[in-house]
Amino acid sequence: MSLQKFRAILGVMGATALTLAACAAPPAAAPAAPAAPAATEPAAPAQPTDPTGIVTREFAGSKLTLAAQTDQFVEAFRALIPKFEELSGIDVTMDELGYVDLRQKATADFVGKTANYDLITVDIVWSGEYGQNKWTVDLKPLIERDKAQLALDDILPVMWTLGSWGEGQWAYPLAGYANVLNYRTDLFEEAGVSVPKTLAELQEVATKLSRPDKGVWGIGLLGAKGPAVAQDFMAYVQQYGSSLLDENGKPAIDTEANLKALEGFKALFEAAPPDATGWWWGDRNDAFSSGKIAMMLNWSTAIKNHKNPDLNPFAEKIETAFSPLGTEAGKYGFGGWGIGINADSKNKEAAWMFIKWITSPPIQKEWVDNNGSPIRRSTLTDPELVKKYPWFPILLESYEKGDGDYRPRQPWYSKMEDVIGTEVNAYLVGQIDAKTALANMQKAALDIIK
């Protein structure tokens, strides 16, 4: 191809391309980008509301460790602690411990000043020992400072024995226990007996209820050597109207009144299963729920479980009554737990906020609904709660006439309890007589308090 012819061809192609480009439709305008949604902040989660007005976020991010006895109220702690954590931003860890472990671990923490625990549940009988050693914080200044938040008049007077000793308040009232009589209505009807109101009637009714041929005994008692029999005996002494201390708080054990009380206590064992001299609390509860015994005196904190069909096949046949008293001077046994702040804790104010919140009137309903024991009059007289827990009026009167000192709240109590538990058990199993048992207790008590 010649150069001229090649150029001619290129010219035709260029003209054609220009013609085609000129005839093509103009490109459509690019669609407008959709409008961006207006920028909005994600909705903040709703903040929980504190019905008490006590909890603040001042200590958010801090941590509290609670050493708790595994009584029924530990279920209330499990239910309520997450709510406190959400309100306060404080992380609360609970160490659930049996009685012996709690006492040993708490004491080691105090003595070693390791502050592993910020909060400790305190048995009423530990008050003197804790106060004397100042292991827990004296709460009186905090109570005075924050009294406007505490509804103090609503807390029953006997509850303050849950932690008071000397001039201090070494634990705050947490869970009050009344010593009451639980009994089987069907067995009472079969035997044609009424609820005993005196210790003499208690002995008579227990005897009539005993049907060893049917595997049923009149009453369940704690006879095991140690704190079990010691506490049952001291409750009997108190109901009898006597005391192990004189008016000056000194041991007065080997008295004529206590001799009659000890002999009466042993006589009751004639209407109890033969192995009751070795029973602890769990043995007695098992005997009641299995139908082996017709009645038992024990702490009110167990009532809900007794009346729970899932735990007791005789639940619908169980009722609660006042503890029988021996004389007009007799009083109802009172015990239970306070909650104290470790004197070495670095989080005392956060711990105090927890105590104020969990014992406050608005939280008490949830506390008792989750197996906690009440401390407030408003809780025990709340119509809704009384309908749900018809034994509350019995508890209220038992508290009002209760004695928190029938087990001496003294620093030497634990040693004395061991002595009483040893001597009473020895008498029950026939190793010594009653006078010897009381004389041994008196001598040991005087040696202990020297």
Side-chain angles (χ1 to χ4, degrees):
M1 181 183 295
S2 67
L3 181 59
Q4 281 185 322
K5 192 172 183 178
F6 179 71
R7 287 175 174 168
I9 292 171
L10 284 178
V12 173
M13 290 177 64
T16 302
L18 287 173
T19 300
L20 287 173
C23 293
T40 56
E41 294 291 335
Q47 288 295 318
T49 303
D50 175 21
T52 72
I54 290 172
V55 179
T56 71
R57 304 285 293 183
E58 181 181 359
F59 308 106
S62 60
K63 296 182 178 180
L64 292 174
T65 303
L66 163 66
Q69 162 71 13
T70 50
D71 271 20
Q72 283 83 352
F73 61 71
V74 79
E75 297 175 30
F77 275 139
R78 291 178 195 148
L80 291 168
I81 282 175
K83 295 186 176 183
F84 177 79
E85 291 179 316
E86 188 175 10
L87 287 168
S88 67
I90 299 172
D91 179 64
V92 181
T93 299
M94 180 167 63
D95 193 7
E96 300 179 18
L97 300 164
Y99 192 88
V100 175
D101 283 347
L102 172 62
R103 179 165 171 73
Q104 290 178 345
K105 294 185 75 170
T107 302
D109 199 29
F110 297 143
V111 174
K113 295 188 173 298
T114 44
N116 291 322
Y117 298 118
D118 301 290
L119 292 155
I120 304 98
T121 55
V122 181
D123 189 358
I124 184 174
V125 293
W126 299 347
S127 305
E129 184 179 16
Y130 279 34
Q132 184 183 59
N133 293 296
K134 294 182 170 53
W135 284 340
T136 48
V137 173
D138 180 7
L139 299 174
K140 277 196 168 180
L142 293 172
I143 292 171
E144 176 62 24
R145 185 193 72 186
D146 296 344
K147 59 187 177 184
Q149 294 181 314
L150 302 176
L152 296 173
D153 290 345
D154 189 34
I155 297 177
L156 291 158
V158 74
M159 299 296 171
W160 292 104
T161 58
L162 299 170
S164 64
W165 182 79
E167 299 299 319
Q169 188 71 40
W170 308 99
Y172 199 82
L174 177 71
Y177 295 179
N179 196 25
V180 295
L181 178 71
N182 290 301
Y183 64 97
R184 285 268 303 276
T185 56
D186 56 329
L187 296 178
F188 270 56
E189 290 173 5
E190 286 178 18
V193 296
S194 302
V195 177
K197 296 181 180 178
T198 68
L199 289 180
E201 291 176 359
L202 180 68
Q203 178 72 61
E204 180 182 355
V205 169
T207 301
K208 289 182 177 178
L209 287 167
S210 288
R211 296 294 304 271
D213 57 317
K214 293 187 175 182
V216 177
W217 280 264
I219 190 167
L221 298 162
L222 305 182
K225 179 180 177 180
V229 71
Q231 293 193 24
D232 243 20
F233 171 63
M234 284 188 275
Y236 190 91
V237 169
Q238 181 238 17
Q239 290 170 241
Y240 187 79
S242 188
S243 174
L244 301 180
L245 304 179
D246 64 17
E247 62 275 13
N248 298 314
K250 303 298 182 184
I253 300 173
D254 55 347
T255 64
E256 189 64 27
N258 287 337
L259 176 62
K260 290 181 179 178
L262 181 55
E263 291 173 341
F265 182 62
K266 183 175 182 179
L268 268 180
F269 275 80
E270 296 173 7
D275 59 346
T277 53
W279 278 11
W280 293 79
W281 288 272
D283 300 313
R284 182 169 60 183
N285 284 331
D286 290 345
F288 194 52
S289 59
S290 67
K292 190 175 181 179
I293 56 176
M295 60 179 172
M296 60 186 288
L297 290 158
N298 69 331
W299 291 127
S300 54
T301 189
I303 296 175
K304 282 182 73 174
N305 287 347
H306 291 323
K307 295 178 183 292
N308 183 344
D310 294 332
L311 301 176
N312 191 323
F314 308 103
E316 295 181 356
K317 300 171 182 175
I318 291 173
E319 290 295 343
T320 300
F322 292 106
S323 289
L325 300 179
T327 66
E328 292 183 356
K331 296 181 180 178
Y332 299 119
F334 175 78
W337 292 78
I339 180 168
I341 301 173
N342 189 338
D344 295 310
S345 169
K346 306 300 182 188
N347 305 295
K348 293 185 180 68
E349 285 291 347
W352 174 236
M353 187 166 71
F354 177 81
I355 291 174
K356 289 190 294 182
W357 180 78
I358 207 159
T359 59
S360 63
I363 304 303
Q364 281 281 286
K365 276 192 174 183
E366 289 184 81
W367 175 259
V368 298
D369 276 341
N370 286 284
N371 236 352
S373 295
I375 60 170
R376 292 182 175 276
R377 184 181 300 278
S378 61
T379 310
L380 288 155
T381 56
D382 182 285
E384 181 183 341
L385 293 177
V386 171
K387 183 177 181 181
K388 195 183 297 184
Y389 311 118
W391 57 89
F392 268 18
I394 293 174
L395 297 194
L396 178 58
E397 187 170 338
S398 296
Y399 291 148
E400 288 176 328
K401 298 178 180 176
D403 178 9
D405 286 315
Y406 79 93
R407 294 174 296 162
R409 294 179 297 116
Q410 298 294 332
W412 39 262
Y413 172 77
S414 295
K415 293 179 180 177
M416 193 63 223
E417 183 184 67
D418 287 342
V419 172
I420 294 172
T422 298
E423 298 299 329
V424 174
N425 175 265
Y427 169 58
L428 292 179
V429 299
Q431 294 175 348
I432 56 177
D433 60 32
K435 287 187 176 179
T436 301
L438 292 173
N440 290 346
M441 287 186 240
Q442 178 71 15
K443 181 179 183 304
L446 292 174
D447 290 341
I448 288 170
I449 66 171
K450 279 182 180 177

